[in-house]
Amino acid sequence: IGPMTALAAMLAVLPQTASAQPPATPLWARGYSVIPTPQKVTLPGGDVEFGAAWGWSAPALRQNHAAVRALVGDLREFHGLNLAARQTGQVVELAVKPNTVSAATDPALNAQAYRLSIDATRIQITGNSDAGLFYGVQTLLQLVKRNPSGALSLPVTVIEDWPAVQLRFLHWDTKHHQDTIATLKRYLDWSARMKVNMIGFELEDKFAYPSHPVIGAPGAFTPAELQEIVNYGLERFIQVVPIVQSPAHFSFVLKHPEFAHLKADGN
């Protein structure tokens, strides 16, 4: 059976509703969206105007915490909003308190849970761990939008959320192009916003192999540069895992004359 015939046969037996859109979530029905969809959402009604009158508070967090940097930095970059640190008035409160949310049966998932509460005077983001708090901030940042008058708004809501799966994995394939360090860091930033926590970095010839430098392509990343990328990811709760394919995809090595004798078929 030919491949196109096989494909046609598979499509023919798919349920007719396969292309139907999933039902709108309560957030989506209100004009808001979060990726991934939160586990529990309560929407009593109403919206909150979110602007320069707001500040942020995180007295118990270490200096330069990733969640604070994400909150302040992304609001400035995407909305031109400069949130100041303060303790009174309309405040976004950030905290880490273990067992604030206890819903996931897997302890590793539960550790990444958070609660986000939004009302007219206070926004509270509390994570079971540093990672949970960071993910709660990402949810808040996704919720911020412009209302018809042009002001930033948020829904009055309580969200309790945790990952559905432990491994949220993306694959970087660098075989046919050379990225800059700045590009990869930007990619890590966007991956973190979607709560990705692992990336397989397929290096091939984009690594400057210390013992065999001829394998590395021009501009290949040095060990120090790759360590910089790994550290940048860990600050955003992403583990970058190097992938070196072998032996079937080892042509990036075997193309060099000094390794030609390793070819199994002379190809």
Side-chain angles (χ1 to χ4, degrees), residues 22-75:
T25 66
L27 280 172
W28 181 263
R30 285 279 309 281
Y32 295 92
S33 63
V34 176
I35 300 172
T37 301
Q39 301 279 1
K40 293 183 179 180
V41 178
T42 302
L43 286 166
D47 296 284
V48 174
E49 191 166 306
F50 187 65
W54 284 82
W56 64 270
S57 172
L61 296 183
R62 66 180 180 272
Q63 188 176 12
N64 207 31
H65 192 285
V68 175
R69 286 189 283 112
L71 176 70
V72 175
D74 278 9
L75 286 175

Side-chain angles (χ1 to χ4, degrees), residues 85-143:
R86 65 161 180 261
Q87 304 299 320
T88 59
Q90 292 174 300
V91 174
V92 181
E93 296 180 347
L94 307 180
V96 174
K97 296 179 182 178
N99 302 315
T100 294
V101 178
S102 183
T105 56
D106 184 338
L109 298 180
N110 205 57
Q112 302 172 65
Y114 64 89
R115 175 180 289 134
L116 168 61
S117 175
I118 302 173
D119 63 36
T121 60
R122 196 161 300 271
I123 297 171
Q124 293 178 305
I125 311 175
T126 308
N128 283 0
S129 66
D130 291 314
L133 175 61
F134 183 80
Y135 297 145
V137 166
Q138 301 308 322
T139 293
L140 176 69
L141 291 168
Q142 288 191 41
L143 287 172

